[in-house]
Amino acid sequence: DNFEYFKLNPKGKALKPQIPLPVRYVKIRLDKIEKALNTDHKEIAQKDKFDTLKDNLVEQISELPLSVNIVARQAHLIKQAQTKQFWVNATDQDLDTLSEGLAPLMKFRQSLGQPIDKARFDFLDIVNTKEMVEFGPEHEAVSIAAYREMVEQMIFNMIDKNPILQKIKNNQVVSEHEVRELARTLHEEHPHITEELLQKAYQNRRATFIQFIRHILGLEILESFPETVAKTFDRFIQTHTDLDTRQLDFLNLLREFVLERETVQKKDLIQSPFTIIHPQGIRGLFSLKQIEEIIQLTQNFAA
């Protein structure tokens, strides 16, 4: 592509006028009141307005970088605000708490492309702390580790009484119909297992439902996304022994960026946080050949 992305504005995308977060919370509360006062067909329109505002807020909150220390202190609140359960049951006090805790942090949103002082970064154990799983009709939320335990306990408890699981355990071929029947059975009971939830809990977006079942039964080994990222970067560094300290710092930062975002775009490599290592990002540290190799490396993580 002749690296046309290097011609991009290094300051990132143009900013659109944003309504301050506290104002958005007030608007949501007014909509709740308005909806309560209207009992005719306007209720549907009010709900749509509320959902639109809520989705906009959740998107903005999701852009808060947990890699920044001051933001990480509100990690629990940030994760809670991104769950359906929170918005279904939110009271005015909950919204006040959310506004007080998160409004001062919105300046750190990563979409703004603002440089962040290196000292504020804290990538320690970021993958283990960022994920929660929501499941079931009540939108129950637990950590991915807790959900995996629920899934595995359920499956092991069902093996003796479920003939399809017995066939899988014995390494026998199962039909598509049997796979669908098993999936329906596992979804009907707590913890309401689905392929999508398994992909999130086991941090592998490419594996199928039956592969997860075989993995749980010890018949197939599935790598998690963090394991795949770590091995890929380790291999790259091992085959490029001439990298200097700043180049290694850039690759380590890129690894953490991928772990947190699960993807990376070409334009990201010449924006914050990579401009912390060099003002021009990747193009200030690597040759064109090396840049091509790094871009190819990141494409391995595409969903």
Side-chain angles (χ1 to χ4, degrees), residues 34-49:
E34 186 179 354
K35 184 173 70 172
L37 293 174
N38 288 276
T39 57
D40 55 16
H41 296 293
K42 293 181 180 179
E43 289 186 1
I44 297 176
Q46 295 302 328
K47 183 180 185 304
D48 289 342
K49 288 173 64 179

Side-chain angles (χ1 to χ4, degrees), residues 40 72 75 78 91 125 130 144 177 195-196 210 212 216 220 222-223 229 244 253:
D40 55 16
I78 291 169
T91 64
D125 212 20
K130 76 165 188 168
I144 58 175
H177 174 75
E195 182 177 272
E196 183 179 357
I210 191 65
F212 287 115
I216 292 168
E220 182 173 341
L222 294 176
E223 278 190 352
V229 171
D244 61 33
L253 182 57

Side-chain angles (χ1 to χ4, degrees), residues 245-260:
T245 302
R246 284 212 298 171
Q247 288 173 326
L248 289 173
D249 286 343
F250 183 94
L251 290 173
N252 285 329
L253 182 57
L254 178 57
R255 175 178 5 210
E256 303 303 336
F257 186 92
V258 171
L259 285 173
E260 185 174 7

